[in-house]
Amino acid sequence: MSYLTLSLTLIFVLIPLILSRTLKLGLEKDTLIATVRSIIQLLAVGYVLQYVFEVDNIIFIVLMILLMIGAATQNARKKGASIQGITWKLVVTFVFIEVLTQSILLGFQIVPPTPQYIIPISGMVIGNSMVLGILFLNRFTAEVENRQDETELILTLGGTPKQAIHTQLITSIKASTIPTIESQKTIGLVQLPGMMSGQIIAGADPVQAVQFQLLILFLLLTTAVVTSILLGYLSYPTLFNKRMQFLKLKS
Amino acid sequence: MSQAAILFRDVNFSADGLHILKNITGSFTEGKITTLVGPSGAGKSTLFKLCNGLRSPNSGEILIKGKPIEAYDPVELRRNVGIALQSATMVKGSVLENLELPLTLQGKKIDIDFAKELLHDVGLAGDLLERNAKDLSGGQKQKLSIARTLVNKPKVLLLDEITSSLDRVSQHDIEELIEKINEKYGTTMIWITHNLDQALRIGHFTWVMMNGELIESGDSSLLKDPKDKRVQDFVKGEIE
């Protein structure tokens, strides 16, 4: 795509800007900021990726992944701010899911060990893990808040902290993973996934594009379930002290 | 002389910047019924949470049967010091599932005959077992909550305004049941109530608490002739 053609895509930014102005929606400022940020961020990433691919050095790959984990943690921690030590819990979750998925992909030689595969796949895994983490933390903190009576009831009857929080934990894990599972049921019928569409537009064989998309879908299934479970099991013990007393969420 | 089932020595408890319990010193006599009376916000329910190990004091000492409360495993402590709360919280599921919850937590099942007997004891019909617990009336939930606490066969039973939402007949049934359990098993009962007649009727002893302090304690008859001016006002109904 030439720069002239690329600049023509700004028409798609002008349409919402004009509509916002006409209907007084007040979205102009945010639309402009979003446009400028996406241009700068994506171009920067494009040049960085180009360099990393050329150098093909493990240190740069690791640095890129660490950067992604750092950004994902920073973004997700706000949603779990009421849970003690949420930052390191998120870091552990993202590192674990990255190591798990890459070990399977590279260990079974499903994808070649090159930055062209490792970095984009890591981006998808960590990005989805972050979204799942946010969904989980949102639901979990709400469940814990709303069902304090049930938690204390089970403790008073001689239940352990794990038993006292079990329902809230399971409900939150299910609620956060259901969107991923449900969206996979209709994929290809309602929408073509972004990565597959991109490959087809770029001229790839559609069947091969589908094969890669399936790989990503299955990968994201693991990412969703493992993220919620791991984050849940890392989070709930901090809601109790050594005397098995239920502690309030940090306000 | 009877041993103290629970003994408090200069117990203080604060939460969220509020000094809720102030220098509580006293005891609940083993095998007896002690009522806890006092205006709302006196710290009575908080005192229960301390006895059941749901909260720990900031200072002072609590002894259960002569042993510091911290020396007990929290799970064992809570099975032996049962608590039935005013809220009568139910978990999702049937009456049977709620009733057998203390056993489910131990990986056990309840004997159906025992379950029916417990329901009968608290004045509930045995055929309610399959009913969804959320569909019960406030009074029925309260009765089920008491029956559920009894499943663990606790040595000490803490009852937090358990008859406040019951009609007069049900109140009488529960009072009889509590007295029966107390006599039959020697279970120590501590009962928070706003009903002073009830306190006089069923309590061997009484504690009067106000504003986080234990103002007067002793034989229940103290409610007829309190020494402290604040308790006199409370008994007359001048302090809510």
Side-chain angles (χ1 to χ4, degrees):
Chain A
M1 191 186 283
S2 71
Y3 280 108
L4 176 68
T5 330
L6 185 63
S7 58
L8 284 173
T9 60
L10 287 174
I11 292 169
F12 295 115
V13 177
L14 275 174
I15 293 171
L17 276 178
I18 293 165
L19 284 172
S20 174
R21 192 66 184 262
T22 314
L23 298 171
K24 295 190 173 64
L25 298 176
L27 296 172
E28 299 96 301
K29 193 180 163 194
D30 279 337
T31 309
L32 281 172
I33 290 172
T35 308
V36 173
R37 276 189 66 161
S38 58
I39 292 171
I40 295 171
Q41 285 166 200
L42 283 178
L43 281 176
V45 165
Y47 286 118
V48 170
L49 284 178
Q50 196 176 38
Y51 178 74
V52 173
F53 291 170
E54 274 170 21
V55 176
D56 196 7
N57 185 322
I58 184 78
I59 292 171
F60 285 106
I61 298 174
V62 172
L63 276 177
M64 282 290 291
I65 292 168
L66 287 179
L67 195 70
M68 290 173 190
I69 290 174
T73 306
Q74 180 61 27
N75 212 5
R77 65 194 283 266
K78 292 170 211 153
K79 286 287 170 200
S82 53
I83 294 170
Q84 219 173 5
I86 192 61
T87 305
W88 77 260
K89 290 176 176 62
L90 284 164
V91 170
V92 168
T93 305
F94 296 146
V95 169
F96 180 83
I97 196 75
E98 171 67 9
V99 170
L100 175 76
T101 51
Q102 290 298 337
S103 300
I104 295 169
L105 289 172
L106 300 176
F108 288 104
Q109 297 178 339
I110 298 169
V111 297
T114 60
Q116 283 87 339
Y117 284 90
I118 296 172
I119 292 174
I121 290 175
S122 297
M124 283 187 261
V125 166
I126 296 165
N128 273 276
S129 188
M130 176 191 77
V131 173
L132 253 295
I134 289 171
L135 284 175
F136 172 80
L137 290 171
N138 226 1
R139 182 64 184 255
F140 186 58
T141 48
E143 286 283 325
V144 170
E145 282 277 352
N146 298 335
R147 298 170 90 159
Q148 288 188 28
D149 282 356
E150 269 180 59
T151 307
E152 290 218 321
L153 167 73
I154 292 172
L155 291 177
T156 60
L157 294 172
T160 60
K162 193 177 171 186
Q163 289 171 322
I165 210 79
H166 182 260
T167 308
Q168 294 86 320
L169 195 59
I170 297 301
T171 307
S172 310
I173 290 172
K174 276 171 128 176
S176 56
T177 51
I178 279 173
T180 304
I181 298 167
E182 286 301 316
S183 72
Q184 293 203 5
K185 285 184 188 167
T186 55
I187 210 145
L189 298 174
V190 181
Q191 58 162 349
L192 292 178
M195 191 202 80
M196 192 178 105
S197 308
Q199 276 189 300
I200 294 170
I201 291 166
D205 170 25
V207 175
Q208 203 187 20
V210 165
Q211 285 172 348
F212 268 104
Q213 189 59 53
L214 281 175
L215 161 74
I216 297 301
L217 284 182
F218 299 153
L219 198 63
L220 297 186
L221 204 58
T222 287
T223 302
V225 176
V226 173
T227 298
S228 291
I229 293 174
L230 189 57
L231 204 49
Y233 279 82
L234 286 174
S235 298
Y236 91 79
T238 51
L239 300 174
F240 302 88
N241 64 16
K242 279 183 184 166
R243 296 292 303 162
M244 297 190 187
Q245 293 164 344
F246 178 59
L247 308 169
K248 276 185 181 172
L249 287 169
K250 285 195 292 173
S251 50
Chain B
M1 195 181 151
S2 299
Q3 196 195 352
I6 305 179
L7 182 101
F8 301 87
R9 273 197 202 126
D10 213 14
V11 168
N12 283 279
F13 178 77
S14 302
D16 301 326
L18 291 173
H19 197 172
I20 299 170
L21 293 174
K22 300 163 189 166
N23 308 101
I24 302 288
T25 297
S27 63
F28 296 131
T29 309
E30 188 168 13
K32 300 289 177 189
I33 301 174
T34 304
T35 55
L36 222 59
V37 297
S40 302
K44 304 182 294 290
S45 298
T46 305
L47 191 78
F48 269 17
K49 290 188 174 179
L50 260 63
C51 296
N52 185 257
L54 277 183
R55 302 281 183 276
S56 294
N58 299 92
S59 67
E61 201 177 18
I62 300 175
L63 303 176
I64 309 275
K65 292 209 166 198
K67 223 166 87 173
I69 198 166
E70 301 80 25
Y72 288 89
D73 170 65
V75 170
E76 274 310 303
L77 172 75
R78 288 165 191 163
R79 282 182 196 153
N80 282 308
V81 182
I83 183 167
L85 295 167
Q86 189 184 9
S87 53
T89 307
M90 295 291 129
V91 295
K92 201 175 160 189
S94 65
V95 168
L96 177 64
E97 284 168 296
N98 270 276
L99 189 61
E100 74 173 351
L101 184 59
L103 294 176
T104 312
L105 296 171
Q106 299 172 54
K108 297 176 190 166
K109 288 252 166 214
I110 199 165
D111 178 79
I112 293 296
D113 290 336
F114 176 53
K116 285 182 178 168
E117 191 187 318
L118 275 173
L119 287 190
H120 177 261
D121 283 346
V122 294
L124 289 174
D127 57 11
L128 280 179
L129 279 175
E130 296 307 318
R131 178 92 69 87
N132 190 328
K134 302 270 181 201
D135 294 339
L136 298 182
S137 69
Q140 286 175 316
K141 281 181 187 167
Q142 193 60 262
K143 289 176 176 178
L144 178 57
S145 165
I146 299 165
R148 185 173 56 192
T149 311
L150 294 174
V151 170
N152 271 336
K153 296 178 180 160
K155 305 271 188 301
V156 178
L157 197 48
L158 312 170
L159 309 163
D160 191 351
E161 295 200 43
I162 50 163
T163 54
S164 57
S165 57
L166 302 182
D167 57 58
R168 201 170 276 274
V169 176
S170 298
Q171 266 187 35
H172 179 73
D173 289 348
I174 295 297
E175 283 176 16
E176 269 193 351
L177 170 75
I178 295 304
E179 282 176 324
K180 193 173 88 185
I181 296 166
N182 171 252
E183 280 165 23
K184 193 172 170 187
Y185 303 105
T187 309
T188 307
M189 306 279 185
I190 301 124
W191 191 333
I192 295 177
T193 178
H194 269 114
N195 184 337
L196 296 181
D197 289 335
Q198 187 177 53
L200 270 166
R201 202 162 51 236
I202 58 144
H204 299 114
F205 301 105
T206 284
W207 277 31
V208 185
M209 290 182 70
M210 284 181 187
N211 196 26
E213 290 176 74
L214 173 58
I215 308 292
E216 255 188 277
S217 67
D219 192 276
S220 288
S221 58
L222 76 83
L223 291 171
K224 290 180 189 163
D225 183 22
K227 292 182 183 69
D228 191 281
K229 173 76 174 67
R230 289 166 294 176
V231 181
Q232 288 169 5
D233 292 343
F234 171 69
V235 169
K236 280 188 225 158
E238 289 170 13
I239 301 175
E240 283 291 312

